[in-house]
Amino acid sequence: MDHQPPRVPLSQLALRFISGKYQGGEFPLGENKEIIIGRSSDLDMVLVEDMVSRRHARIACSDQEITIEDLGSTNGTFVNGEKIKRAMLKEGDRVLIGTSILKVVVSDSSNGAARRATGEAQRGSAGKTMSGAIDEIPLPDLLQLLGTSKKSGVLVVQSDEDIGKIVMRKGSIVFASINDLEEVPPLKSVYRILTWTTGTFSLEPYDERPIEGEIDCSVTEILMEGLRQIDELNNLRHKLPDLDARVLLVHPLQAALRKLSPVELDVLQLAINFGHVATILNKSPATDLETAEVLLKLMKESYLHVE
């Protein structure tokens, strides 16, 4: 007989700020039957920022359930990427209000690490941008939140080795880059950034001037195609050479060049000119998935070999 893990009593849950200028603070749910959130200084949870309405949202807590209700706010209340009028909350849910992302967690108050989050308690951090850790809120979830709430700005994502930038305009993705490399197209950059699972993010303002090489993609389109590519690329990784490996043209070449498609010829030419797998992936106009599939085909059919 399977034993379900014991359910955490609702009285032990809290809202933890995982992004925004109150990041790190917690607001216990068990101590409050009703929590009114907004910009007005006389409310239970005061969020001092322009995108928060004076009376923005209401959370009701009972022994059986926790519900959140939008109070007709200007910019909306979002739960797990969906704009809501009223919704139930459970452990792990993420709420977006203004630039603050709050996660329903088991309270840390017992170990003394939690800080009660109110506007008064943390006014000193008012200059902080919307920021956090992608370990805490995965990039697909974060992009969905930003897309649904029609945010504008530059999402700067920093991993251990790279800095990615995703430019958003009213919830759509219009540009992206990694380490400001011009040779990697915007779509390919977005798909690569989506593979990152550790690091930090911040949403920085930008002036909304047109950018050379703009794209116009909804977050939903990016996530559907990007996550599909990531899954398929992960299935190929064990067959691919290391990124710092070199691939060389087989000599003498017996395989017929006329059998190759234009895309395959492009990848072959990149291999001849540059050799390193990482450079081929960067310079190929095709996606990383398409380029990887072509590289494997060229090696299998004896056009290329690993040095």
Side-chain angles (χ1 to χ4, degrees):
M1 181 176 175
D2 292 335
H3 293 284
Q4 295 293 326
R7 185 181 172 191
V8 177
L10 297 183
S11 60
Q12 293 182 18
L13 296 179
L15 286 171
R16 178 180 297 158
F17 287 79
I18 61 174
S19 170
K21 64 184 183 181
Y22 305 113
Q23 185 181 341
E26 277 191 10
F27 197 103
L29 293 172
E31 299 174 10
N32 305 273
K33 294 303 180 187
E34 180 180 87
I35 302 163
I36 305 295
I37 305 167
R39 204 172 69 244
S40 181
S41 60
D42 60 345
L43 301 182
D44 306 296
M45 186 190 293
V46 183
L47 304 182
V48 187
E49 59 167 290
D50 292 342
M51 292 188 68
V52 175
S53 297
R54 290 183 63 78
R55 288 173 59 87
H56 195 107
R58 170 183 176 270
I59 295 177
C61 308
S62 72
D63 294 336
Q64 286 75 39
E65 63 180 24
I66 300 170
T67 59
I68 184 168
E69 175 187 2
D70 185 79
L71 298 177
S73 66
T74 302
N75 292 299
T77 301
F78 300 84
V79 176
N80 298 328
E82 297 294 327
K83 190 172 186 177
I84 60 99
K85 289 186 177 178
R86 187 177 184 277
M88 290 183 61
L89 292 179
K90 62 184 184 303
E91 184 184 354
D93 284 347
R94 297 182 181 93
V95 178
L96 174 67
I97 295 176
T99 63
S100 293
I101 302 174
L102 304 95
K103 185 177 182 181
V104 182
V105 299
V106 178
S107 176
D108 272 346
S109 56
S110 59
N111 64 19
R115 290 176 289 159
R116 186 177 179 84
T118 68
E120 292 297 327
Q122 301 200 20
R123 276 186 202 279
S125 57
K128 199 171 183 180
T129 59
M130 182 179 187
S131 60
I134 57 177
D135 314 60
E136 186 84 60
I137 176 164
L139 278 172
D141 294 359
L142 177 61
L143 282 173
Q144 188 177 16
L145 279 170
L146 297 177
T148 311
S149 56
K150 301 192 182 304
K151 289 281 193 290
S152 294
V154 182
L155 181 64
V156 180
V157 186
Q158 185 156 0
S159 70
D160 293 337
E161 300 174 350
D162 302 293
I163 297 177
K165 297 176 182 176
I166 300 175
V167 182
M168 304 191 71
R169 187 180 297 140
K170 295 179 180 176
S172 292
I173 294 173
V174 297
F175 194 75
S177 65
I178 297 175
N179 299 330
D180 293 324
L181 287 174
E182 294 182 1
E183 64 188 11
V184 184
L187 269 178
K188 183 185 287 191
S189 296
V190 176
Y191 296 149
R192 280 195 192 173
I193 294 169
L194 277 174
T195 66
W196 300 355
T197 55
T198 61
T200 60
F201 73 86
S202 61
L203 185 66
E204 309 290 349
Y206 84 113
D207 57 15
E208 301 201 20
R209 285 183 295 182
I211 303 169
E212 186 177 346
E214 274 193 16
I215 56 177
D216 184 10
C217 296
S218 73
V219 169
T220 302
E221 290 174 315
I222 291 289
L223 291 181
M224 286 180 65
E225 177 59 19
L227 297 177
R228 180 193 70 81
Q229 288 194 26
I230 289 168
D231 284 344
E232 294 190 23
L233 193 54
N234 284 338
N235 291 333
L236 297 178
R237 283 201 186 280
H238 68 286
K239 301 178 184 177
L240 284 171
D242 292 337
L243 289 177
D244 58 357
R246 286 179 60 85
V247 289
L248 302 175
L249 188 69
V250 171
H251 185 79
L253 184 62
Q254 302 293 333
L257 291 174
R258 65 177 176 272
K259 292 183 178 180
L260 298 179
S261 70
V263 173
E264 291 164 350
L265 285 170
D266 286 344
V267 174
L268 182 65
Q269 185 172 358
L270 289 170
I272 294 169
N273 290 344
F274 300 102
H276 281 104
V277 172
T279 308
I280 296 168
L281 288 168
N282 281 346
K283 290 186 174 292
S284 171
T287 66
D288 285 340
L289 175 61
E290 292 167 330
T291 305
E293 289 172 337
V294 170
L295 268 176
L296 289 173
K297 177 181 177 179
L298 293 174
M299 289 188 294
K300 182 180 179 181
E301 298 183 4
S302 299
Y303 292 91
L304 297 172
H305 69 94
V306 180
E307 186 178 38

